[in-house]
Amino acid sequence: MQKLIVNGGKKLSGEIHIQGAKNAALPIMAASVLCGGEVILRNCPRISDVYSAMRILTYLGCKAGFEDKNVAVINSENISAEGISDELMREMRSSLFFLGAVLGRTGHCRITLPGGCDLGPRPIDMHLSALRKMGVTIREEFGTLDCTAENGLHGAKIDLSFPSVGTTENIILAAVTAEGSTIIRNAAREPEITDLAEFLNACGAKISGADCGEIIIRGVEKLHGCQYTVMPDRIVCATYLACTAAAGGDIVVSGCRPSDIEIILAVFEQMGCIVHTGHDKIYFSANRPLKAVAPIRTMVYPGFPTDAQAVVMAPLCRAKGTSVFVENIFENRFKHVGELCRMGADILVEGKVAVIEGVNRLYGAKTCAADLRGGAGLVAAALSAEGVSEISDIHYIDRGYEEIEKALSSLGADIIRI
Ligand code: UD1
């Protein structure tokens, strides 16, 4: 079992380039199934969830692999399987994107329930109800969902009760080659949805309104392959800023989109960090004692992202005063708190609220990642702690970060993987 060993207390400095976005690359890889040709994806992150998506593509009969460092090539000319094995479905939540894509391509797909980080109940009722509206019959037997669009998929008007990211993306995937038009109202507006829509439009789809909550998809007969560059990962960007806020130092983040994380940058400014942004760069300094911030409520985009909650909590553990997080998206997303307390943090969780009393120092401890972003939060806290910390179960962190230890070492952190 691999672990990260962090010797805390070293300030960070230098420049770091941000990897491509996991939450854009995964639905785009599923969308490649619809193209029936070659897709060349640049800026595709080499993370374990992307390798899981490649295994699903290969299982389905496509060709998928990395050609160069971050260039993935997918060829979906042939689709031979009628569904996805239980083992592959369990590897990640995003396996569910393949349902909409395979249905769009073949009209039939058999899956089991997806896996992924345990953030509390993660039902798929909204995905299934939308697909039913588009002409899909779903038979559930012994944990398997057998989904068939006997007369093909057709467009529909779909009002989402909550702007779910995955549901919005699955509907888009099913709708691009459906008969007629689909309108999604109260659609999620996360930037990764726009990236998926732009990729599909580059393949010949007709999608509009992907960033404004009402998405219109006019079905086309077929798509073709394309070359596409995946957007930068806004949560990875927030993570390296949080690491610097926690450890102190001055860094430049390049290849990012500051406009996607304005709300997170405002929180770092409240902490006392200095932030300057360029078109695709952030100049970031954290050289003063940090201050507590006004209550942070996680919300759908453009609100404060739930995925940044754990990483931003890490520097706040040592900020002077009391900070509060209200987690509104997932029911069980404070699993990192107990581990932060092992490092000396003073945090009280009551339901969906976490109250952080800033302490003067954190100290190194043995900790255990329990999900992807919570694990990254532990790394950020360990960088600011006195002494040596150990973070185990780092397979969670590897789901979303490309060699996190190398990225942080390049900024001067003392961190190794054993
Ligand atoms: C996506 C992101 C994840 C992020 C989350 C919220 C990807 C690959 N993952 O996850 O990193 O944390 O958005 O920004 O893009 N829900 C239902 N029924 C459903 C679907 C969702 O009740 O059928 C609920 C969920 O349990 C959760 C909430 O809706 O409480 C938000 O989920 P959703 O927006 O769908 O998140 P994901 O697509 O799973």
Side-chain angles (χ1 to χ4, degrees):
M1 195 177 67
Q2 296 192 344
K3 293 176 183 175
L4 290 173
I5 307 293
V6 181
N7 188 7
K10 309 265 181 307
K11 286 197 169 199
L12 304 187
S13 67
E15 181 161 345
I16 189 162
H17 188 85
I18 294 302
Q19 67 186 61
K22 167 178 95 68
N23 287 356
L26 296 173
I28 288 174
M29 291 174 81
S32 302
V33 167
L34 291 158
C35 298
E38 187 174 83
V39 166
I40 298 178
L41 268 190
R42 302 187 196 286
N43 206 30
C44 186
R46 283 192 182 239
I47 51 176
S48 68
D49 272 10
V50 161
Y51 287 108
S52 292
M54 284 180 172
R55 280 193 286 279
I56 294 178
L57 286 162
T58 309
Y59 183 88
L60 289 169
C62 306
K63 288 186 184 142
F66 277 102
E67 187 176 71
D68 203 349
K69 175 131 190 354
N70 288 110
V71 183
V73 180
I74 298 162
N75 192 314
S76 63
E77 229 169 283
N78 298 312
I79 295 279
S80 45
E82 294 202 330
I84 300 163
S85 70
D86 182 50
E87 199 188 344
L88 289 171
M89 283 303 297
R90 281 175 187 273
E91 283 190 16
M92 58 173 180
R93 169 88 174 171
S94 299
S95 54
L96 192 56
F97 294 135
F98 286 88
L99 175 60
V102 174
L103 277 171
R105 174 79 185 264
T106 68
H108 180 231
C109 186
R110 215 171 28 243
I111 60 161
T112 60
L113 291 182
C117 286
D118 176 13
L119 311 175
R122 295 181 84 175
I124 61 167
D125 54 318
M126 291 168 68
H127 295 249
L128 301 184
S129 124
L131 291 171
R132 284 194 180 100
K133 279 200 172 148
M134 300 177 73
V136 179
T137 307
I138 301 168
R139 272 182 291 270
E140 204 175 341
E141 271 178 1
F142 308 111
T144 299
L145 300 176
D146 193 69
C147 308
T148 312
E150 261 155 34
N151 302 312
L153 287 157
H154 57 72
K157 281 192 181 136
I158 299 167
D159 290 280
L160 296 181
S161 54
F162 174 86
S164 148
V165 175
T167 309
T168 303
E169 291 173 330
N170 233 336
I171 299 170
I172 293 175
L173 292 167
V176 276
T177 53
E179 177 90 33
S181 293
T182 298
I183 301 177
I184 315 172
R185 281 190 291 235
N186 197 25
R189 294 158 57 192
E190 270 65 4
E192 292 77 13
I193 292 172
T194 309
D195 215 40
L196 170 65
E198 282 176 4
F199 164 79
L200 283 165
N201 284 344
C203 297
K206 291 194 171 143
I207 305 168
S208 58
D211 56 354
C212 71
E214 181 163 314
I215 304 179
I216 301 172
I217 306 125
R218 293 182 180 82
V220 296
E221 207 167 299
K222 60 194 277 206
L223 300 182
H224 50 75
C226 78
Q227 297 200 19
Y228 192 77
T229 302
V230 176
M231 66 177 276
D233 197 308
R234 62 195 167 105
I235 305 301
V236 169
C237 180
T239 302
Y240 292 130
L241 298 178
C243 288
T244 310
D250 302 271
I251 65 163
V252 179
V253 181
S254 60
C256 60
R257 278 200 333 216
S259 55
D260 288 342
I261 57 164
E262 271 168 16
I263 199 152
I264 305 176
L265 296 178
V267 171
F268 285 123
E269 282 180 325
Q270 273 187 56
M271 282 185 214
C273 304
I274 297 170
V275 181
H276 292 294
T277 57
H279 167 64
D280 64 350
K281 273 195 160 72
I282 300 173
Y283 304 87
F284 189 86
S285 296
N287 288 310
R288 294 178 295 194
L290 300 179
K291 296 175 289 189
V293 297
I296 297 173
R297 296 174 178 82
T298 65
M299 289 185 199
V300 296
Y301 192 84
F304 189 94
T306 172
D307 286 353
Q309 178 251 106
V311 295
V312 171
M313 188 180 290
L316 288 173
C317 291
R318 284 184 52 215
K320 189 171 168 40
T322 308
S323 305
V324 173
F325 281 92
V326 184
E327 173 54 60
N328 290 311
I329 307 295
F330 290 108
E331 276 180 30
N332 188 10
R333 209 166 191 183
F334 286 135
K335 281 196 272 184
H336 47 285
V337 165
E339 303 301 296
L340 290 172
C341 292
R342 283 173 191 262
M343 301 172 89
D346 179 356
I347 309 172
L348 180 78
V349 172
E350 187 75 50
K352 59 183 197 170
V353 178
V355 180
I356 300 123
E357 294 292 345
V359 294
N360 288 333
R361 57 188 280 262
L362 295 181
Y363 39 83
K366 285 191 176 181
T367 63
C368 196
D371 59 56
L372 163 58
R373 305 301 170 188
L378 297 181
V379 173
L383 292 170
S384 77
E386 287 170 26
V388 177
S389 296
E390 198 177 290
I391 299 148
S392 52
D393 276 349
I394 56 171
H395 57 93
Y396 285 112
I397 300 174
D398 293 334
R399 297 180 63 165
Y401 295 85
E402 256 182 358
E403 300 183 312
I404 194 167
E405 72 283 9
K406 286 196 184 154
L408 289 167
S409 299
S410 77
L411 295 175
D414 184 348
I415 174 171
I416 54 165
R417 178 185 292 253
I418 56 166

